[in-house]
Amino acid sequence: MEHKQLDQFPKDFLWGSASAAYQVEGAWQEDGKGVSVWDEFVRIPGKTFKGTNGDVAVDHYHRYKEDVALMKEQGLKAYRFSVAWTRILPNGRGEINQAGLQFYIDLVDELLKNQIEPVLTLYHWDLPQALQDEYQGWESRKIVEDFTNYATVLFDAFRGKVKYWVSLNEQNVFISHGYLMASHPPAVSDPKRMYQANHNANLANASVIKKFHEMSMPGGIGPSFAYSPNYTLNSDPKNVLAAEDSEDLNAHFWMDVYLFGNYPIAALKILKEQGIAPTIEAGDEELLAAGKPDFLGINYYQTNTVVFNPLDGVGLGKMNTTGEKGSSEESGLPGVFKRVENPFVERTNWDWEIDPEGLRIGLRRITSRYRIPVLITENGLGEYDKLTVEKEIHDDYRIDYLKGHVHAIREAITDGVEVLGYCTWSYTDLLSWLNGYQKRYGFVYVEQDENQNGSLNRYKKDSFYWYQKVIQENGSNS
Ligand code: BG6
C-alpha cells in the first residue's frame, strides 16, 4: 500500500550500529582469554578467504575508546556488540576471568558515559573450544546449562546498565553453516545432527531468556534471527507452494519456536518422514514455551526468491565468498524449492540481492504472525571501498542502500509495525567470517588490506556523515 503521509520515527528510536567480538576485537590471547572454535577453525588451510583470521581483527580491544569517540561524534544512540564467552570463562565454565570481564565493563561504561545505549549479544558464534572438545558443543544438551551459567555472569555484571540483550545471533546461520554446509566450525555436513544441534540451541536460547525473566532483569531480551523473506518467482501454484515451504523451513522453523514454543507442522512432518527430525524430550516444550522473548532481533540483508525443485533437482550449492559477481552456485532442497534470481532487483558483488521493500515485507509478516516489537540488529551493504589519496571514502552505493532501507522501515512503522531501533552492520569495517577484509560494511574505514597488512587507522566514510544527519533529524527526511 502507498501512504499519503508517513509517520515519524519514535522519539526514542535507537539509531545504532553493530559488531561482533571475533570480527573486531583481536587480542585473541590477551588477558586470560581462552580459545574459541573460530580461533581454531581459521587455522585450518582453505577455510577462510585468503586464510584471514581475527587474531588482530581491527584491534577494537585496544582501540575501543577511539571507536566510541567516533560513535559519539556521529551521534549514535545505540551500539550492538557481542561478548566473547572465552574472555569471561576461558574454558566455557568455571572460574570467572576478571580481566576479560573488565574489558566489557570498561566498554559499557564508555558507551554510557557518551549516552550510547549498549545492546549486548551473548553469543555471536565464538563457542569455547573446550566445550566443543568435551561434549561437541551444540550437539549436547549440556550446552544448555553452560550457556545459561555464562549468561548469568553477564546478567549479574550488567544489571541495570545494559537494557537490550540479544541471546543468540543468527542461530539459523551458525547451525546451518556449522552442521550442513560445513563452512563454519565444526564443519559437519549431516542434516540429522544439524536439527539436533539446532534443537539444543533452541533450548539454550529459551533457558537464558527464562533466566533473564526469573532474575527480573530490567530491559528486554530476544534472539537475532537472520530473516530473508521468501518470494515466489511467479503465480504458478507449484512455485507459490515452494515459497511457502521455504518460509516454513527457513524462517518459521526458528521464529515459531522462539515465539510460539513449537515447530511449524508441515516442516516438522517432512523432517520426521526423512528421519532427520530432532528428538524432543519430555519437558522441552515447556521450556521452549517459558522462554518467550521481549522483542525479536532481525538481521536483514536480502530476500529469497524460489521455484519448485523436483526430487531429482539441485542440492546445496556454494556461496560466493570471493566478490566475483555471478560466482554463486545454484542451490536448493530437492523435492521442495530452489533459489532463483529475482529479476526485479540488483545484486552486490557477492551476489546478495538488494531489496529494501523486502525489509518492510518481512517486518509486516513478523508483526502479523507474532505481534512482537522488532529491533533491527543488522542491515548493511558489504562492498569494496576505496581510500582516496585525501583519505576519503566515497561510498555513495552504501548510502543508497541504507537510505532505501531506512525509508522501508519508516513505511513499515506507518503500516503499524513496532520497530525499536535500527543497528546497521557494521560500525567499523571488520573481518567477514568467510570473505576476509576486502568485503567492507562500516561507516568507519579501517586501513587494512585483504592480506591483513595496514595501519589499522580509522577514516570516516561519506556514509558516516550521511547517517549522522539522519540521526540528527530522527529520520524525518527519510
Ligand atoms: C551476519 C552476521 O550473518 O552477516 C555477521 O551476523 C556477518 O557476523 C554479516 O558479518 C555479513 O556477512 P558476511 O558474510 O558478508 O560477512
Side-chain angles (χ1 to χ4, degrees), residues 23 124-125 169-170 299 301 352 378 425 432-433 435 439 441:
Q23 298 179 273
H124 202 125
W125 308 353
N169 179 68
E170 298 190 348
N299 294 354
Y301 290 92
W352 291 29
E378 284 180 32
W425 187 263
S432 168
W433 306 91
N435 309 280
K439 189 180 188 189
Y441 281 90

Side-chain angles (χ1 to χ4, degrees), residues 19-245:
S19 73
Y22 188 71
Q23 298 179 273
V24 294
E25 286 177 3
W28 78 292
Q29 288 182 305
E30 273 179 58
D31 296 332
K33 179 184 167 297
V35 173
S36 80
V37 291
W38 272 93
D39 290 321
E40 296 254 315
F41 184 71
V42 292
R43 281 166 225 291
I44 307 171
K47 291 295 184 193
T48 62
F49 178 73
K50 290 197 172 180
T52 38
N53 62 52
D55 291 3
V56 176
V58 295
D59 199 30
H60 176 68
Y61 193 78
H62 299 115
R63 298 173 195 232
Y64 73 93
K65 283 197 178 171
E66 182 185 349
D67 291 341
V68 174
L70 285 162
M71 294 174 203
K72 171 72 176 171
E73 180 188 337
Q74 195 183 24
L76 223 61
K77 305 277 186 212
Y79 175 55
R80 173 180 177 238
F81 62 94
S82 79
V83 171
W85 188 338
T86 50
R87 288 200 196 280
I88 311 301
L89 303 167
N91 292 315
R93 73 161 89 89
E95 283 289 292
I96 299 173
N97 174 38
Q98 276 304 331
L101 180 58
Q102 193 59 44
F103 169 70
Y104 299 104
I105 294 174
D106 294 343
L107 173 64
V108 166
D109 287 348
E110 192 70 15
L111 291 167
L112 293 174
K113 202 169 84 190
N114 288 291
Q115 294 84 43
I116 301 166
E117 194 74 56
V119 179
L120 189 157
T121 303
L122 293 168
Y123 184 77
H124 202 125
W125 308 353
D126 42 0
L127 185 78
Q129 182 66 42
L131 302 184
Q132 186 64 37
D133 293 341
E134 189 186 321
Y135 56 66
Q136 295 192 295
W138 295 104
E139 289 192 71
S140 164
R141 283 170 174 261
K142 289 185 184 159
I143 195 76
V144 179
E145 191 183 339
D146 284 338
F147 184 52
T148 309
N149 289 338
Y150 154 67
T152 305
V153 173
L154 298 177
F155 294 159
D156 282 331
F158 296 109
R159 166 184 288 275
K161 285 189 172 182
V162 173
K163 297 200 206 92
Y164 295 89
W165 297 77
V166 173
S167 44
L168 294 178
N169 179 68
E170 298 190 348
Q171 181 186 332
N172 54 328
V173 172
F174 79 78
I175 290 288
S176 55
H177 279 262
Y179 299 90
L180 188 66
M181 282 123 93
S183 47
H184 282 194
V188 168
S189 184
D190 182 331
K192 184 158 176 58
R193 286 170 68 182
M194 173 183 85
Y195 283 113
Q196 194 59 51
N198 184 60
H199 185 65
N200 298 341
N202 280 327
L203 298 174
N205 182 66
S207 171
V208 296
I209 294 177
K210 183 168 168 261
K211 184 77 186 180
F212 184 90
H213 293 142
E214 280 167 3
M215 288 173 69
S216 305
M217 289 287 293
I221 187 167
S224 277
F225 180 69
Y227 185 30
S228 299
N230 293 280
Y231 293 167
T232 172
L233 180 66
N234 56 36
S235 53
D236 179 340
K238 267 187 161 180
N239 296 337
V240 174
L241 186 62
E244 295 208 2
D245 282 338

